[in-house]
């Protein structure tokens, strides 16, 4: 894998995890400008693909690690990927 560049955001992304009453997971991004700025910088440097790596804290009440329920982080990962691609 050729890694052409790495970009770190100067401010936290402020990620939120949400679990709906149905058990579906999602969340949000309170600082989207930081993610978009980092991605645009990589594109300006010639990137044709971007891998997103972010620190996401699993909720304390999550039972996913014990094999119960939906992945609480998976919904947020999907939202971030889809949002970034749409931008």
């Amino acid at each position: 894998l050729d890694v052409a560049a790495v970009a770190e955001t100067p401010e936290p992304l402020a990620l939120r995890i949400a679990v709906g009453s149905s058990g579906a997971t999602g969340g949000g991004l309170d600082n989207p400008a930081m993610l978009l700025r980092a991605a645009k910088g990589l594109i300006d440097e010639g990137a044709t693909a971007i891998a997103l790596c972010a620190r996401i804290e699993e909720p304390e009440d999550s039972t996913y690690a014990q094999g119960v329920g939906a992945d609480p982080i998976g919904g947020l990962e999907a939202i971030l990927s889809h949002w970034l691609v749409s931008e």
Side-chain angles (χ1 to χ4, degrees):
L1 177 65
D2 251 343
V3 177
V6 174
E8 291 187 35
T9 60
E11 296 175 24
L13 298 178
L15 301 172
R16 292 176 282 105
I17 292 176
V19 180
S21 59
S22 68
T25 62
L29 170 65
D30 291 336
N31 200 353
M34 287 297 106
L35 180 54
L36 194 55
R37 184 170 133 191
K40 284 184 176 182
L42 291 169
I43 291 167
D44 289 347
E45 291 184 44
T48 57
I50 295 174
L52 176 59
C53 179
R55 181 181 200 123
I56 304 172
E57 302 276 337
E58 186 171 339
E60 289 181 20
D61 59 349
S62 174
T63 56
Y64 180 70
Q66 288 80 39
V68 179
D71 177 0
I73 296 173
L76 179 56
E77 290 173 332
I79 288 169
L80 293 174
S81 296
H82 288 283
W83 178 80
L84 188 56
V85 168
S86 72
E87 291 297 314

